[in-house]
Amino acid sequence: MGLRSGARERFLSACLGAPTDRVPAWAMRQAGRYLPEYRALKEKYGFSALVHEPELAAEATLQPIRRFSELDAAILFNDILSVPEALGQGYAFRDGGGIAMDFTLDSAEKIRALGSPEDVPARLDFAARALRLVRAELGGSRALLGFAGSPWTLAVYMVEGGSARQFAKIKRLAAEEPALFDALMEKLSDAVAASLNLQISAGADAVQIFDSWAALCPAAEYERLSLRWMRRIAAALPVGVPVIVFAKGMAHFAREIADAGAQVLGVDWTRRLSDVRRIAGPRLALQGNLDPAVLCFSDERAVRSRVRGILDEMRGERGFIFNLGHGISPDAKPENLAAALDEIAAA
Amino acid sequence: MGLRSGARERFLSACLGAPTDRVPAWAMRQAGRYLPEYRALKEKYGFSALVHEPELAAEATLQPIRRFSELDAAILFNDILSVPEALGQGYAFRDGGGIAMDFTLDSAEKIRALGSPEDVPARLDFAARALRLVRAELGGSRALLGFAGSPWTLAVYMVEGGSARQFAKIKRLAAEEPALFDALMEKLSDAVAASLNLQISAGADAVQIFDSWAALCPAAEYERLSLRWMRRIAAALPVGVPVIVFAKGMAHFAREIADAGAQVLGVDWTRRLSDVRRIAGPRLALQGNLDPAVLCFSDERAVRSRVRGILDEMRGERGFIFNLGHGISPDAKPENLAAALDEIAAA
């Protein structure tokens, strides 16, 4: 098998565990506030327009691609809360940071009143249009990623009413009204599947599911609260489109996540990738796991040395995609991401 | 070997992996806002007085012991930030939640200006006096626990200036000024060791080190940022006093934590205890790991069923102490903790 050198092929080969000429790389939240060109765009149009207007979403998606030639994948500029919004529960960002949903999903009536998953594709048409614009611009030069929040992670925001400290509401719902919880999760799973299928139809080569709140789940409940819904989603997607699951704090479930239909596991920085590989077996590709705080450092040599540490750990392994262990923070320095990507391209 | 039935012996036997008549139990933050009698005390005297006045600290420590006869251990009412305070960096709680240090430890001068660990015992004399009062009251009927934050966890608050979102400051300090970071950590380790030795002299039967921010550490850095400092502390404590390390999100380091000198590992709810036992080997006792959100449930049967799940998982295992996977939340229901403890006592 020859080694393809295009970025798109490199990325997709790594998802499937096939050999690549070098480790492919992208960064969670690579389109975002750490980029001055993003801040200018956001200042001019506002966050909501950047999400909802296809030309602006495409522009935000492409900004990091223009700046960093070594990025192997573009990921649609969007927000995981677009799916709750499409179901009728909008959101905003609090001034002090964190998310405020327009209301708290705190009754069976409100859960039943959510929109239908069937209407999700029409309501997320802006995302499909943005993806088509990006796809045309990229012309196959990069892999194009769609994404969504996991049903559990969305349910946490929806039932808690936004960013929370205690998370007792969602856990109480799951424990004390299991049928109602299941009904909500079924709806969310179908809505997420509809969103991902829409994105795939519009040109996404792979999709990532953010199970960002995975670590709220007790181990004995992870299957019931989150995994089974991701399995339902994976089963509703076309075969051959890689599914990446980012399950923060839950790499010890690598095998179960693979069994649920993931081809790639996104790993946070608390685990050595080589340890996760041992847990996961060779079938699951891994993605990660540079501590995003490293991109805030003032000395680029420290950034390069951390990146080399990760590359050394995975040297000779197939099925590896370089990424961060979490999204880029707003005070990251773009030149540090450039240095990290340069180190990968040179390796 | 006979099975001792006293609560203190039960707890200490479990720490050492010796057989016990039943699983011993206590709850992190068992003295706290979920108890109406604590809220009354705090309203009357204020949080600071509850920490600093020995009679009040003793009273807060004893409140849960009086209410829940099945508790096998009392833990001193105090705050991990007493050690930074003893070194000259005070703290307060923000109105919206979270911690605000009196200043941010953001220069070499400020780090050098911190007090000496040698002065810590005198400055924490109030804690020693509180422990002696509690010890006299308990008369050996319960194990008495002292505690402290890990040097890493304290450094996070001190260098970030309180509760933070990004944690880039402490990571930048550790990466870019390793000698200064080490100097700070040495001082904190000696201060924590002094605090724990003081508590042991005053009657603590065992001590818990809260490495609550452990999961901020990249795996490859956990030794340098946190573990080695806990090892330094454990080496400075008298042989025979069990050391419990609660390392949230880091149970995959169980073996290394045992090697650092812990006899017991506190485990959060994301891991099955049986899995952690496999990683840790039989030498390390485990403590955990009920999801504290369960204590907010409205149906006590759900609480009992979760507790039974944990007991079933560890049935027949020595070296197990029942606890929560994190501290009790303010909106926990005392009757739920009573039900959990009753379930354990009946098992």
Side-chain angles (χ1 to χ4, degrees), chain B residues 141-303:
Chain B
S141 68
R142 304 291 199 301
L144 180 52
L145 304 187
F147 73 94
S150 75
W152 167 250
T153 293
L154 297 179
V156 168
Y157 287 114
M158 295 167 82
V159 173
E160 297 291 334
S163 305
R165 283 185 163 265
Q166 301 290 347
F167 306 102
K169 288 179 201 160
I170 181 67
K171 292 185 177 184
R172 215 154 40 203
L173 176 69
E176 296 179 357
E177 302 187 70
L180 185 59
F181 175 77
D182 285 355
L184 171 62
M185 297 304 276
E186 245 182 70
K187 186 172 274 193
L188 285 174
S189 303
D190 294 347
V192 167
S195 166
L196 294 177
N197 271 317
L198 176 75
Q199 294 178 64
I200 291 165
S201 301
D205 296 306
V207 293
Q208 176 156 321
I209 301 174
F210 287 85
D211 199 15
S212 313
W213 284 125
L216 291 181
C217 299
E221 294 268 293
Y222 189 49
E223 166 65 23
R224 182 175 83 89
L225 300 185
S226 184
L227 255 187
R228 64 176 287 211
W229 308 106
M230 293 198 283
R231 187 179 302 115
R232 182 183 173 110
I233 293 165
L237 302 181
V239 174
V241 176
V243 174
I244 309 167
V245 169
F246 174 66
K248 192 154 182 284
M250 284 299 199
H252 46 291
F253 277 100
R255 234 168 237 280
E256 289 84 351
I257 291 168
D259 290 343
Q263 280 75 46
V264 186
L265 177 68
V267 180
D268 63 64
W269 61 78
T270 63
R271 307 294 304 235
R272 287 183 194 272
L273 291 168
S274 48
D275 289 345
V276 179
R277 174 54 51 93
R278 262 193 295 282
I279 300 169
R283 204 164 54 83
L284 187 68
L286 300 182
Q287 176 178 281
N289 70 346
L290 183 71
D291 180 359
V294 170
L295 299 185
C296 305
F297 287 0
S298 47
D299 183 357
E300 158 188 320
R301 284 170 305 181
V303 178

Side-chain angles (χ1 to χ4, degrees), chain B residues 14-35:
Chain B
C15 287
L16 302 172
T20 54
D21 59 334
R22 70 158 169 85
V23 170
W26 68 285
M28 288 191 279
R29 228 181 280 155
Q30 64 191 21
R33 281 182 287 167
Y34 76 109
L35 289 178

Side-chain angles (χ1 to χ4, degrees), chain B residues 4-161:
Chain B
R4 313 272 193 86
S5 60
R8 181 168 175 271
E9 289 71 22
R10 182 183 293 130
F11 178 86
L12 292 171
S13 297
C15 287
L16 302 172
T20 54
D21 59 334
R22 70 158 169 85
V23 170
W26 68 285
M28 288 191 279
R29 228 181 280 155
Q30 64 191 21
R33 281 182 287 167
Y34 76 109
L35 289 178
E37 58 268 36
Y38 172 85
R39 291 197 298 271
L41 205 64
K42 186 180 163 203
E43 190 155 329
K44 188 161 175 194
Y45 298 102
F47 175 79
S48 179
L50 264 50
V51 168
H52 294 102
E53 293 184 21
E55 290 74 14
L56 295 175
E59 173 60 22
T61 303
L62 288 165
Q63 282 178 340
I65 301 298
R66 293 200 195 100
R67 187 187 266 258
F68 307 110
S69 62
E70 301 93 340
L71 282 176
D72 294 297
I75 182 163
L76 176 65
F77 183 80
N78 200 333
D79 194 286
I80 62 166
L81 296 174
S82 289
V83 165
E85 185 181 62
L87 294 172
Q89 190 181 9
Y91 66 99
F93 294 97
R94 292 182 191 136
D95 284 341
I99 287 154
M101 303 303 292
D102 287 352
F103 58 89
T104 299
L105 202 64
D106 55 4
S107 71
E109 290 64 41
K110 286 185 193 167
I111 288 174
R112 276 192 286 268
L114 288 173
S116 162
E118 286 165 34
D119 300 331
V120 163
R123 297 200 172 184
L124 294 182
D125 183 54
F126 63 87
R129 287 167 57 202
L131 277 164
R132 283 193 292 265
L133 291 172
V134 173
R135 188 177 170 85
E137 185 88 12
L138 291 177
S141 68
R142 304 291 199 301
L144 180 52
L145 304 187
F147 73 94
S150 75
W152 167 250
T153 293
L154 297 179
V156 168
Y157 287 114
M158 295 167 82
V159 173
E160 297 291 334

Side-chain angles (χ1 to χ4, degrees), chain A residues 51-271:
Chain A
V51 168
H52 295 102
E53 293 183 21
E55 291 74 14
L56 294 176
E59 174 60 21
T61 303
L62 289 163
Q63 283 178 338
I65 302 298
R66 294 200 196 101
R67 187 187 266 260
F68 307 110
S69 61
E70 301 94 338
L71 281 176
D72 294 297
I75 181 160
L76 176 66
F77 183 80
N78 201 332
D79 194 286
I80 61 167
L81 297 174
S82 288
V83 165
E85 185 181 63
L87 294 173
Q89 189 181 11
Y91 66 98
F93 295 97
R94 292 184 191 135
D95 283 342
I99 287 154
M101 304 303 292
D102 288 352
F103 58 89
T104 299
L105 202 63
D106 54 6
S107 71
E109 291 64 41
K110 288 184 191 167
I111 289 175
R112 276 191 286 267
L114 288 173
S116 162
E118 286 165 34
D119 300 331
V120 163
R123 297 200 172 185
L124 293 183
D125 183 55
F126 62 87
R129 287 167 57 204
L131 276 164
R132 284 193 290 266
L133 291 173
V134 174
R135 188 177 170 85
E137 185 88 13
L138 291 177
S141 68
R142 305 290 198 302
L144 181 51
L145 305 188
F147 74 94
S150 74
W152 167 251
T153 292
L154 297 180
V156 168
Y157 286 114
M158 295 166 82
V159 174
E160 296 291 336
S163 306
R165 283 185 165 266
Q166 301 292 346
F167 306 103
K169 288 179 201 161
I170 182 66
K171 291 184 176 183
R172 215 153 41 202
L173 176 69
E176 297 178 356
E177 302 187 71
L180 184 59
F181 174 77
D182 284 356
L184 171 62
M185 297 304 276
E186 244 182 73
K187 186 171 273 192
L188 285 174
S189 303
D190 294 348
V192 167
S195 166
L196 294 176
N197 271 318
L198 176 77
Q199 295 179 63
I200 292 165
S201 302
D205 297 305
V207 293
Q208 177 156 320
I209 301 174
F210 287 84
D211 199 14
S212 312
W213 284 125
L216 291 182
C217 300
E221 295 268 292
Y222 189 49
E223 166 65 24
R224 182 175 84 89
L225 300 185
S226 184
L227 256 186
R228 63 177 286 211
W229 309 106
M230 294 198 283
R231 187 179 303 114
R232 182 182 172 111
I233 293 165
L237 302 180
V239 173
V241 176
V243 175
I244 309 167
V245 169
F246 174 65
K248 194 156 182 282
M250 284 299 200
H252 47 292
F253 277 99
R255 234 169 237 280
E256 290 84 351
I257 291 168
D259 290 342
Q263 281 73 46
V264 186
L265 176 68
V267 180
D268 64 62
W269 61 78
T270 62
R271 307 292 307 232

Side-chain angles (χ1 to χ4, degrees), chain A residues 15 18 41 66 78 134 163 251 266 296 314 328:
Chain A
C15 288
L41 204 64
R66 294 200 196 101
N78 201 332
V134 174
S163 306
C296 304
M314 295 302 279
I328 299 190

